[in-house]
Amino acid sequence: MTDAVVVEGLTKRFGSTTAVHEVSLVVRTGELFGCIGADGAGKTSLFRMLATLLLPDAGTARVLGLDVARDLWALRPRLGYMPGRFSLYPDLSVEENLRFFASVFGTSLEREYDQIAPIYVQLEPFRQRRAGALSGGMKQKLALCCALVHRPDILLLDEPTTGVDAVSRREFWELLARFKASGLTIIVSTPYMDEATRCDRIALMQQGRILALDTPDAITRAFARTLFAVRANDRYRTLLALREYPHTHTIYPFGEVLHYTDRRTGLPAGSVAEGVTAFLAGRGLTGVSAGTIPATIEDSFIAYLGGGAESWHASP
Amino acid sequence: MTDQIAIEARELTRTFASFTAVDRISLEVRAGEIFGFLGANGAGKTTAMRMFIGLLAPSSGTARVAGHDVYSGSEAIKRSIGYMSQRFSLYEDLTVRENIRLYGGVYGLPDKEIRARSEGMLARLGMEQSADTQVRAIPLGWRQKLSFSVALLHRPQIVFLDEPTGGVDPITRRQFWELIYQTAAEGTTVLVTTHYMDEAEYCDRISIMVAGRIGAMGTPAELKREFVTDSMDEVFVRLARPSQVEAP
Amino acid sequence: MKALLGLLSKEIYHILRDRRTLAVVVLMPVVQVILFGFAIRTDVKDVRLAIVDPSPDHVTLEIRHRLEASEAFTTVAVLPTTAALDGFFRRGAAQMAVVFEPRFATRLDRGLPARVQVIADGTEPNTGSTRQNYVLAVLRDYDRELGTAAAGVRIVPSMRMRFDPTAESSHLFVPGLMAFVLTVISALMTAISLTREKETGTMEALLVSPLRPWQIIVGKVLPYLAIGFVSMVLVILEARLVFDVPLRGSLPLLLFEGMLFILVSLSLGMLISSRTSSQRVAMMGAMIGTMLPTMLLSGFIFPIESMPEILRWVSNVIPAKWFVTIARSIMLKGVGLDYLWPQTLVLCGMACVLLGLSTRSFHIRLE
């Protein structure tokens, strides 16, 4: 089984900014691959190069065995692409948009109905509605339909769930799982860390570079230190206090708690926790407790980015 | 956090033609609180916020912000609050310093005051080197932190943040929230809207809007207990479930 | 007050830092003054003159000599009869004619009035009567000189406006106006359509498809061609019904030429928008590329012959120049394709070139 995507040393520059910096990765056929990162990570530029929309400045990329720079006309009919922002016609109806994209690829809605049925059944009640009048979640589902209607061999989805409400996001990923189950290779980019766990393998990206590339499990398992959740009534003062604690390696807010790692290695978790709570109690902070927790993708990402304690002082 | 009420709304409503964007919401935000104003896009958060900051008149109901009535005191409200929106904050072709001076001038601060506060702000953010750079050349995360600081330049009682952390990496997001913590610790009330449910947990109390109404309100812990789950995302899903058949 | 000063300085920064707009705003008036200044010439130069002299004698030769010596006229033909004259006018080979009565000098010697007919092409704007006055001036001068020699002898000029007996200015103006509005709208339509797709992001999805540039371009041009046709029919109706402009030539030919012209303008709009992704820039480009050149250099308002040589050359590149000639010829002179094939060929060529260039410069990728 050949690999669906092979990227080597891919680079893209815009003026003096390097959007994608010597990125290399391989996506296997039938894999659900995630590119996780924030704005400016280079996800969109990477996707656009894979979709033959941008020419790389250096490096090579082969999608389905075809070179993205040279073989674009052979490749385009086989790609399903969903751009980062809504790219359907707002003044055409749901059905009209679908028919248009089907026709552009030389097929018809009727012929491909069973392919897109899982999604289309959700849209069908609104098929006469203008696409511009749909809610965010519905727009994304329609865009997914249009990307799939011509039975592509690979799906490239650039931030399909950004700005969409939690319910629709969930439904979207359920749909993706169904299509993956039928053997389709899917590459998704997202800024949401929690979506990373739904992928087979992920690449953590920041400023054009890949920080880590592996299965989500392997990445969290690779988290170097023991992670603690510290609870307290006054989170802010606790945060400031722990910045002055000599054993703190990293400390950052994480929802209702703070996540803490210790400088010292080899110390049993219990003693670390006791030390922390004692220190905080000594500072007059109340409701303090500390316990170990498993690391999440977000913790790993933060660790790769440099921790969070020192980067406060980095200049723009 | 004192017992003073910074923002108060009773049956606040706003309709546009036949569409009810905000449907009789009632809430209270205490001074010094970090209040999260959550909800999906289109749920009515932005409309509600616009009424609070004096940009939009309500159709019915009452509200008071910083002690002023939203109907009659909108100019006084604007002077007592700060506002930061993700869509627009600073002028890209002006430098950092020029932006600060502009906003200082708009709020009527004397020159000396502006200079002093802007030096302080730049030092706190670590942006002295970039003071004379055009904002368009400053990375997104720094721009947002700067934007927030500028909204606080005139030391308002309440600051309204409209989706302030879109698109930034996890570290920048946390740095931003630390700024919010610091601001609240100094006594400023912060009202944040966001559609990132995990950010809800940084707030003291939150409300979740669904189709123009407030579907739930309380501390994150209370809501998680009420909906029997340990993630705010799940709270939202369970709350929105009745409207799951898409009301587009 | 502080706030106001702050706002003022902010606006000044914006203006100074947007170099492109600043350049346009400052330089545009300069360019316009130069263009307008040179284009608006009401003096007469190099008018093509045909002379009909059935019996040349020393008087007619003297008058002919004086006409030729003047800067205002260039003699293109000397004919023995008026038979071929009509063809000259229709082709546009002659813009004026001076017709001498036979046995001119003999009549003067006998003390009889000798008539000279001065015919001007009425389809040329503004200058038909001006040119006639030039000829009249030459004739009157000579007449005075003669008059001192022999009393009561007169050269009697009679004026005729060819093709425009009633000299209604709207007849001249309206065909040119048709060209003007059709070209501006057509270029705007395609310019906006293509860049709107780029701006809203739909182009991105369209590009990752088997569609080729020529398909996208033709897909946009054809519907607007149809719309242009409807516009043109309406405009012609207006010209006929509201302004009483005659239609002495063939209507199908006029419609065909109009469609050709619209095609050229649509292609120009396509070309402009293939180079930019911003609707605003495309709109401005389309307007600047059509309005100004058409208004100044197409012969619609200001006659091309009066312009400096370089502008006359430039006017050949303006599609509207050719269509204005075509429209006037068909509507006012009643000529057909047998006379108009060169101009038609030029428009065809322009359409091919512009469409070809648009297809070539169409971005198949996002950059």
Side-chain angles (χ1 to χ4, degrees):
Chain A
M1 199 162 53
T2 54
D3 294 321
V5 176
V6 178
V7 174
E8 269 164 37
L10 206 61
T11 303
K12 183 68 195 170
R13 283 181 278 271
F14 294 105
S16 54
T17 320
T18 305
V20 177
H21 186 95
E22 290 176 22
V23 162
S24 303
L25 56 86
V26 169
V27 176
R28 304 188 193 115
T29 309
E31 198 170 24
L32 176 50
F33 190 93
C35 290
I36 321 290
D39 279 6
K43 312 188 296 294
T44 296
S45 302
L46 176 62
F47 273 60
R48 282 180 171 165
M49 283 192 280
L50 293 178
T52 73
L53 286 173
L54 286 179
L55 272 179
D57 290 313
T60 60
R62 299 185 75 78
V63 175
L64 303 172
L66 298 164
D67 184 277
V68 298
R70 283 196 322 263
D71 308 321
L72 71 154
W73 294 115
L75 191 46
R76 281 181 181 179
R78 300 176 61 188
L79 296 173
Y81 177 58
M82 214 173 119
R85 56 177 177 160
F86 188 61
S87 55
L88 302 179
Y89 294 95
D91 46 342
L92 298 184
S93 76
V94 166
E95 189 172 345
E96 284 159 358
N97 266 295
L98 262 175
R99 283 190 189 284
F100 171 68
F101 279 97
S103 73
V104 155
F105 282 92
T107 178
S108 73
L109 182 53
E110 284 71 30
R111 217 181 320 158
E112 314 299 353
Y113 186 82
D114 52 309
Q115 159 87 335
I116 54 169
I119 322 170
Y120 195 49
V121 293
Q122 297 182 32
L123 292 167
E124 241 170 340
F126 309 101
R127 67 179 184 280
Q128 310 283 27
R129 188 171 299 227
R130 285 176 354 121
L134 293 174
S135 70
M138 279 283 157
K139 278 181 180 159
Q140 298 304 77
K141 285 175 194 157
L142 176 59
L144 183 61
C145 264
C146 291
L148 282 169
V149 76
H150 59 287
R151 294 182 200 268
D153 295 315
I154 181 170
L155 207 52
L156 297 166
L157 312 174
D158 190 6
E159 296 208 29
T161 52
T162 297
V164 169
D165 67 274
V167 175
S168 299
R169 274 205 285 144
R170 206 166 284 215
E171 289 170 352
F172 195 88
W173 278 93
E174 280 160 23
L175 288 169
L176 285 187
R178 290 185 67 157
F179 280 98
K180 172 190 148 64
S182 62
L184 187 58
T185 310
I186 305 178
I187 310 183
V188 188
S189 74
T190 174
Y192 299 111
M193 306 282 150
D194 56 310
E195 292 182 349
T197 50
R198 298 178 184 255
C199 303
D200 293 332
R201 283 189 315 143
I202 59 174
L204 301 182
M205 292 184 70
Q206 171 83 349
Q207 290 188 319
R209 289 179 163 82
I210 293 186
L211 304 173
L213 198 164
D214 211 328
T215 65
D217 271 347
I219 290 182
T220 49
R221 259 179 290 129
F223 192 78
R225 290 167 199 271
T226 317
L227 189 65
F228 293 84
V230 177
R231 228 172 249 283
N233 286 343
D234 189 332
R235 274 171 301 181
Y236 183 50
R237 279 179 57 211
T238 308
L239 179 67
L240 295 176
L242 282 173
R243 287 235 171 90
E244 295 170 16
Y245 186 48
H247 305 298
T248 304
H249 176 63
T250 61
I251 178 75
Y252 47 87
F254 207 104
E256 278 194 299
V257 302
L258 306 173
H259 279 195
Y260 169 88
T261 59
D262 202 274
R263 261 190 229 274
R264 306 163 287 186
T265 52
L267 212 56
S271 1
V272 174
E274 273 168 25
V276 166
T277 40
F279 170 77
L280 291 174
R283 290 293 192 97
L285 294 157
T286 57
V288 179
S289 69
T292 56
I293 49 165
T296 65
I297 296 287
E298 195 161 4
D299 295 299
S300 302
F301 202 106
I302 292 174
Y304 279 109
L305 287 180
E310 295 78 32
S311 45
W312 173 259
H313 298 291
S315 307
Chain B
M1 241 187 311
T2 69
D3 286 325
Q4 270 206 304
I5 307 291
I7 304 171
E8 172 179 14
R10 297 250 166 276
E11 302 282 302
L12 196 62
T13 304
R14 176 70 205 197
T15 54
F16 296 101
S18 55
F19 172 61
T20 308
V22 177
D23 190 3
R24 289 168 294 152
I25 63 170
S26 303
L27 55 81
E28 266 177 14
V29 178
R30 289 189 284 272
E33 202 173 19
I34 302 176
F35 192 89
F37 208 48
L38 273 52
N41 292 332
K45 306 192 300 294
T46 309
T47 310
M49 186 179 258
R50 289 211 181 117
M51 286 194 277
F52 289 141
I53 63 179
L55 281 184
L56 195 62
S59 306
S60 66
T62 61
R64 298 186 73 80
V65 172
H68 303 286
D69 185 278
V70 295
Y71 289 97
S72 54
S74 64
E75 289 310 307
I77 290 177
K78 285 176 189 167
R79 279 194 295 272
S80 327
I81 62 157
Y83 175 60
M84 177 202 157
S85 153
Q86 195 200 3
R87 272 164 306 124
F88 166 77
S89 46
L90 305 169
Y91 287 101
E92 297 205 346
D93 50 348
L94 299 186
T95 67
V96 172
R97 231 184 227 126
E98 283 161 357
N99 267 289
I100 298 176
R101 205 175 38 231
L102 173 69
Y103 282 101
V106 164
Y107 281 102
L109 295 178
D111 275 341
K112 219 159 41 140
E113 224 10 81
I114 298 178
R115 261 198 301 276
R117 291 188 196 183
S118 91
E119 295 313 314
M121 178 195 307
L122 293 171
R124 251 201 320 275
L125 290 173
M127 288 184 82
E128 295 104 319
Q129 312 286 63
S130 332
D132 295 305
T133 318
Q134 284 189 13
V135 166
R136 72 171 101 228
I138 308 242
L140 179 65
W142 288 94
R143 252 192 259 189
Q144 287 176 335
K145 285 185 272 188
L146 181 62
S147 203
F148 180 53
S149 305
V150 168
L152 295 171
L153 189 65
H154 60 293
R155 312 241 170 98
Q157 293 173 250
I158 311 176
V159 66
F160 290 86
L161 309 174
D162 191 5
E163 309 268 357
T165 56
V168 296
D169 65 83
I171 291 193
T172 308
R173 179 104 57 94
R174 284 166 173 71
Q175 290 171 343
F176 194 90
W177 274 95
E178 221 183 291
L179 275 179
I180 294 181
Y181 280 161
Q182 190 178 359
T183 308
E186 288 165 7
T188 311
T189 313
V190 180
L191 187 106
V192 189
T193 69
T194 176
H195 66 274
Y196 291 102
M197 291 302 150
D198 56 334
E199 286 188 344
E201 312 217 22
Y202 293 136
C203 304
D204 295 320
R205 283 193 315 135
I206 65 168
S207 70
I208 303 182
M209 282 190 76
V210 180
R213 312 227 64 219
I214 290 188
M217 183 155 58
T219 70
E222 283 167 10
L223 290 179
K224 285 196 279 194
R225 262 198 309 273
E226 181 182 334
F227 288 88
V228 193
T229 170
D230 55 1
S231 106
M232 285 306 303
D233 230 29
E234 197 53 50
V235 168
F236 178 80
V237 171
R238 293 188 190 186
L239 196 57
R241 194 169 289 263
S243 40
Q244 179 144 352
V245 177
E246 194 70 33
Chain C
M1 202 52 210
K2 270 288 313 289
L4 186 58
L5 286 177
L7 282 173
L8 283 175
S9 45
K10 167 187 95 79
E11 284 306 315
I12 292 174
Y13 285 137
H14 285 324
I15 292 172
L16 289 178
R17 286 177 190 173
D18 184 1
R19 308 258 159 173
R20 210 173 296 172
T21 307
L22 192 60
V24 169
V25 166
V26 170
L27 292 179
M28 186 94 122
V30 175
V31 170
Q32 282 179 321
V33 168
I34 291 181
L35 272 182
F36 271 102
F38 278 109
I40 306 179
R41 289 286 175 80
T42 50
D43 45 297
V44 173
K45 244 174 49 167
D46 290 337
V47 175
R48 298 187 289 281
L49 182 64
I51 298 191
V52 178
D53 198 359
S55 49
D57 53 44
H58 67 281
V59 175
T60 63
L61 284 174
E62 178 61 29
I63 295 176
R64 278 163 57 180
H65 178 66
R66 288 184 185 206
L67 288 172
E68 269 164 49
S70 122
E71 247 196 352
F73 303 104
T74 305
T75 307
V76 295
V78 181
L79 307 167
T81 66
T82 56
L85 202 55
D86 198 49
F88 272 88
F89 273 117
R90 285 183 182 275
R91 270 200 314 276
Q95 293 165 306
M96 285 199 70
V98 170
V99 182
F100 293 103
E101 204 181 347
R103 292 201 292 283
F104 204 76
T106 315
R107 291 179 67 88
L108 285 177
D109 286 339
R110 295 217 196 115
L112 292 168
R115 281 183 293 258
V116 178
Q117 201 176 53
V118 180
I119 308 174
D121 185 343
T123 67
E124 299 279 344
N126 299 329
T127 55
S129 49
T130 314
R131 290 167 180 167
Q132 286 182 327
N133 290 336
Y134 264 67
V135 175
L136 283 183
V138 170
L139 292 174
R140 275 202 208 97
D141 276 346
Y142 191 63
D143 188 45
R144 256 201 314 265
E145 286 171 32
L146 281 181
T148 57
V153 181
R154 279 283 167 249
I155 295 175
V156 180
S158 93
M159 314 273 273
R160 249 197 75 194
M161 277 291 196
R162 187 81 179 79
F163 308 121
D164 194 17
T166 58
E168 295 254 18
S169 62
S170 57
H171 293 187
L172 302 176
F173 195 67
V174 169
L177 191 56
M178 277 168 57
F180 179 76
V181 300
L182 288 176
T183 190
V184 171
I185 296 296
S186 303
L188 260 181
M189 285 199 292
T190 41
I192 291 179
S193 166
L194 198 59
T195 47
R196 187 175 49 210
E197 296 234 26
K198 291 189 199 179
E199 261 186 22
T200 55
T202 52
M203 182 60 77
E204 196 170 350
L206 221 54
L207 284 176
V208 187
S209 76
L211 284 179
R212 302 286 173 138
W214 72 263
Q215 287 172 303
I216 296 179
I217 288 176
V218 169
K220 287 205 175 283
V221 166
L222 282 183
Y224 286 120
L225 204 54
I227 293 178
F229 180 78
V230 173
S231 279
M232 195 179 45
V233 168
L234 291 175
V235 166
I236 293 175
L237 275 177
E238 260 183 308
R240 300 279 291 120
L241 300 176
V242 178
F243 294 103
D244 276 331
V245 179
L247 180 50
R248 302 196 176 109
S250 142
L251 177 61
L253 180 62
L254 183 61
L255 289 175
F256 165 72
E257 299 281 359
M259 294 294 281
L260 187 54
F261 177 59
I262 290 174
L263 180 61
V264 172
S265 304
L266 291 174
S267 312
L268 183 60
M270 268 295 150
L271 183 60
I272 291 170
S273 55
S274 68
R275 312 300 264 137
T276 173
S277 318
S278 153
Q279 272 191 79
R280 212 179 33 153
V281 171
M283 267 176 70
M284 290 198 54
M287 291 210 282
I288 292 177
T290 51
M291 276 180 124
L292 223 54
T294 303
M295 195 151 55
L296 295 177
L297 299 176
S298 66
F300 156 40
I301 302 179
F302 310 115
I304 297 174
E305 292 78 20
S306 308
M307 297 178 196
E309 178 143 356
I310 179 145
L311 285 183
R312 270 184 277 167
W313 278 107
V314 171
S315 80
N316 287 329
V317 169
I318 315 287
K321 178 219 160 154
W322 302 96
F323 184 68
V324 167
T325 306
I326 292 175
R328 285 194 182 133
S329 301
I330 297 179
M331 294 183 88
L332 304 175
K333 296 189 196 181
V335 303
L337 200 54
D338 46 341
Y339 282 111
L340 290 173
W341 65 267
Q343 290 88 345
T344 310
L345 214 54
V346 169
L347 283 184
C348 283
M350 284 182 169
C352 291
V353 166
L354 289 172
L355 278 175
L357 281 178
S358 311
T359 312
R360 282 269 305 277
S361 58
F362 189 87
H363 292 158
I364 52 171
R365 295 191 177 87
L366 277 182
E367 46 197 349

